[in-house]
Amino acid sequence: MTGDANRPGANRLGTNRSGTNRLSANRFGTSDADQPTTSARWSARRLNSPNPLWGSNGVSFGPDGRLYAAQFLAGQISAVDTATGEVEVVVPMDGPVQSPDDLAFGADGSMYIADLVPGRVWRRSPDGAYTLISEEVKVPNGITCVGDRLFVNEMKMNGRLLELFPDGRDPLVLTEGLALGNAMQVGPDGCLYYPHMMTGQVWRIPVNGGAPELVAEDVHEPVAVRFDQGGVLLVLSRGVAGVVTRIDLHGSGSRTLVTSGVAGLDNAAFDAENRMFVSSYASGGVTEMAPDGRTREIVRGGLVGPFGVTIDLGGTVHLADHYRLAHPEPTAADGTAESGQGGVTTHDLLTFCHGITADNGLLHLTSQYGDVRTYDPERRTSQVRAIGLDQPLGIAARADGTLVVAEAGGGRVLAIDAADDTVTELAAGLQHPVDVVLDAEQRCYVSDDRLGAVLRIDDGRTTVVAAGLGAPQGLTLVNDELFTVDTEGRRLLAISLTTGVIRTEAENLAVGPPPGTKPRTEPALFTHGMPGSPRPYAGLTAAPDGSLLLSANGEGTVLRLTPVPVAG
């Protein structure tokens, strides 16, 4: 199995220079050792550590010598001390920048930011003031400075590469026809080098304009083009193996490939000592990578959600984490991750997966792209079960193999036949169905976070089981009690199917945005045909031992809630 660089047994360079990996508080203002969840009925323990970087995309060294990491999913930018691993938020998530995907520094120390989803490019001055440079770039991604000149490209088909002018002059288009541009950099020859992600090519164009020239093709899943301090060209791969390709530009054009194991590479930066630091869109963190592919963790990776959570018959916890299928790493002596200090392993990179359920050795997943797939984790193969759905989220499997899906955007609950994948409507007219669960009689219950209710579906009719619940999302069933995560009240609720009594089981859950953060308008799912920021989804499932597994998406962990024994 290929996983992250922080997986057990990964090639390591050693500890960081301080011998520690000190981190700032996580997004909820608590340390790794703190557990904010409170409950008299359940003990709560993390299965993995909170995420210090909410994903990591574009990275660049700033004038102060720190490595700045753009976090697209978090909407923030943090500075990393590569000697100590300390992380400081510099551009907060409730500021004007919504979805920073790449960044670069100008000659005067200004930070330039590609704000992907709204299509904006920002300047942040050395004193922290923000100026909007452009709203004319569609899906801006790759951004770089050449002295006091600013260049940006578009991550779209037939994208453009432009020079922007902070003084307000109209943008200058250098070239068009990019097949999804991304991280670019000027080379020793004064040309801008950039990838075409969709065609596996690397191109270059003079900074003063001219005809673009093909540099290399059949490059392994290129996502970023970088030059080290000696002028060597390196191309990062966005795939699961963490491939980096070195290309000889001065001689035969020969290539050298190394495999790092850092799944979902996104970007890289070199310090003054020519050490290479890479980021991962899939798992976050910052990793130092040696020329031979060995790695050293600077800031550990973590979950960018998590979204859906499930557990298979063998006890493995599976997470749908937007870009990947992942699971917490066992860290305790008994083979569990109950110590809460574990990392996360990437099993495979999957496309925007959010809902997940385990079923007889298979995993059924829903995608932000609007499809439902059945994934075989042993063979690492997928079968498409349905396409064209409107925001499918929660998913469950009946005993006969029929899949039941909450179609949040369509306000429906759907069934996908096990034999021929025929899609039928079980219920319609809901406001925003999020999760589904089936009881022993195969009756379906659904949570609706806009209605603030849990409903039961009977022959196409819906009956309210419980109302006034805030914003219920994740849903699971233990005996005659339904459990749901109220993300508005940040609490776990139990609903008795026998008496109808609603009881608060746990409070202060790390779900949703951090307390005190100004809420954003609902993010766009797609922009110019490209995926935008995902909508949060706090999953919930019951384990065979009676414990509950909850997606604490506010801090990037999975919580295991275990019943507290009753005294006497």
Side-chain angles (χ1 to χ4, degrees):
M1 180 188 301
T2 303
D4 295 342
N6 64 353
R7 70 195 189 284
N11 292 328
R12 301 287 185 91
L13 295 178
T15 59
N16 50 26
R17 284 183 288 179
S18 69
T20 64
N21 193 13
R22 293 178 290 169
L23 301 167
S24 63
N26 71 43
R27 299 205 310 176
F28 269 70
T30 59
S31 71
D32 288 2
D34 294 334
Q35 175 51 262
T37 300
T38 57
S39 175
R41 297 171 60 85
W42 302 80
S43 63
R45 307 185 75 176
R46 296 183 178 108
L47 298 193
N48 63 290
S49 300
N51 196 352
L53 284 176
W54 215 251
S56 55
N57 299 87
V59 289
S60 181
F61 278 98
D64 59 1
R66 294 188 296 175
L67 183 68
Y68 287 73
Q71 299 155 74
F72 165 72
L73 294 180
Q76 68 183 24
I77 297 174
S78 297
V80 176
D81 186 324
T82 57
T84 66
E86 291 180 327
V87 177
E88 178 189 359
V89 175
V90 176
V91 176
M93 64 177 62
D94 55 0
V97 181
Q98 293 185 28
S99 52
D101 199 272
D102 203 357
L103 73 159
F105 285 91
D108 65 350
S110 294
M111 179 195 299
Y112 293 93
I113 306 164
D115 195 355
L116 187 145
V117 173
R120 298 172 182 151
V121 177
W122 297 89
R123 173 181 179 263
R124 182 181 183 272
S125 68
D127 63 4
Y130 294 89
T131 304
L132 181 61
I133 300 298
S134 174
E135 291 185 280
E136 299 183 29
V137 184
K138 308 301 183 185
V139 200
N141 196 328
I143 190 168
T144 192
C145 292
V146 181
D148 59 359
R149 299 174 67 181
L150 174 65
F151 299 88
V152 65
N153 65 37
E154 296 175 323
M155 193 180 70
K156 62 187 287 288
M157 296 304 294
N158 197 32
R160 301 172 297 169
L161 194 161
L162 310 94
E163 181 173 5
L164 302 183
F165 302 97
D167 61 9
R169 284 178 287 162
D170 291 337
L172 175 65
V173 178
L174 271 68
T175 187
E176 299 178 326
L178 275 66
L180 271 66
N182 211 311
M184 62 181 177
Q185 189 174 1
V186 68
D189 57 1
C191 291
L192 285 171
Y193 288 71
Y194 53 93
H196 283 198
M197 291 198 294
M198 291 300 294
T199 62
Q201 298 172 326
V202 174
W203 290 74
R204 66 183 171 191
I205 190 170
V207 294
N208 292 323
E213 178 186 359
L214 179 64
V215 175
E217 52 188 341
D218 298 322
V219 182
H220 187 273
E221 300 183 272
V223 68
V225 175
R226 286 290 178 257
F227 288 88
D228 69 9
Q229 300 290 8
V232 176
L233 173 63
L234 300 100
V235 185
L236 279 67
S237 164
R238 64 186 183 277
V240 72
V243 173
V244 176
T245 304
R246 287 178 169 83
I247 302 176
D248 179 9
L249 294 178
H250 307 292
S252 63
S254 62
R255 305 181 188 186
T256 303
L257 275 67
V258 298
T259 300
S260 67
V262 181
L265 289 171
D266 190 281
N267 218 302
F270 291 85
D271 68 5
E273 300 173 11
N274 206 32
R275 295 184 303 162
M276 182 181 184
F277 297 87
V278 300
S279 60
S280 167
Y281 69 85
S283 61
V286 171
T287 303
E288 182 183 352
M289 184 185 300
D292 62 2
R294 289 180 300 141
T295 59
R296 179 169 68 100
E297 182 183 88
I298 303 299
V299 178
R300 64 167 180 264
L303 296 168
V304 299
F307 295 81
V309 57
T310 191
I311 185 168
D312 63 25
L313 294 177
T316 300
V317 177
H318 301 275
L319 307 171
D321 197 36
H322 190 59
Y323 296 118
R324 60 176 175 162
L325 174 65
H327 56 85
E329 296 173 358
T331 57
D334 61 358
T336 70
E338 295 285 79
S339 67
Q341 297 302 308
V344 178
T345 296
T346 298
H347 181 81
D348 208 348
L349 296 177
L350 301 176
T351 306
F352 307 112
C353 56
H354 284 190
I356 187 170
T357 189
D359 176 35
N360 294 321
L362 301 175
L363 298 171
H364 306 295
L365 301 111
T366 62
S367 165
Q368 186 175 336
Y369 268 144
D371 58 38
V372 176
R373 296 173 183 264
T374 294
Y375 179 80
D376 186 328
E378 292 298 322
R379 295 183 175 87
R380 297 176 74 164
T381 57
S382 291
Q383 175 189 353
V384 177
R385 306 297 300 278
I387 60 173
L389 305 185
D390 189 352
Q391 302 171 45
L393 284 177
I395 186 169
R398 288 178 179 166
D400 63 1
T402 300
L403 301 181
V404 179
V405 177
E407 187 190 30
R412 302 187 297 172
V413 175
L414 306 173
I416 302 174
D417 187 80
D420 59 9
D421 293 338
T422 300
V423 178
T424 57
E425 188 178 273
L426 298 181
L430 305 178
Q431 290 192 27
H432 195 251
V434 177
D435 204 4
V436 287
V437 69
L438 304 169
D439 65 14
E441 285 74 39
Q442 303 297 282
R443 291 176 298 185
C444 179
Y445 297 84
V446 57
S447 59
D448 190 315
D449 61 357
R450 291 182 187 164
L451 185 61
V454 172
L455 307 99
R456 186 180 67 246
I457 300 173
D458 299 297
D459 297 324
R461 302 185 310 275
T462 56
T463 301
V464 174
V465 175
L469 305 183
Q473 292 190 346
L475 189 65
T476 195
L477 182 65
V478 178
N479 299 322
D480 70 337
E481 286 192 311
L482 280 171
F483 292 87
T484 189
V485 183
D486 169 20
T487 57
E488 181 181 276
R490 295 178 50 216
R491 55 185 181 160
L492 176 70
L493 302 175
I495 306 161
S496 172
L497 297 179
T498 303
T499 65
V501 171
I502 303 171
R503 185 176 63 244
T504 298
E505 295 288 291
E507 297 179 287
N508 302 314
L509 298 175
V511 294
T517 302
K518 291 185 297 185
R520 293 188 182 276
T521 57
E522 192 167 71
L525 288 176
F526 289 89
T527 304
H528 303 289
M530 298 302 299
S533 301
R535 293 166 182 161
Y537 167 39
L540 183 69
T541 195
D545 64 358
S547 64
L548 302 178
L549 300 170
L550 187 151
S551 297
N553 55 24
E555 64 176 16
T557 67
V558 178
L559 297 183
R560 183 186 292 273
L561 299 166
T562 304
V564 175
V566 178

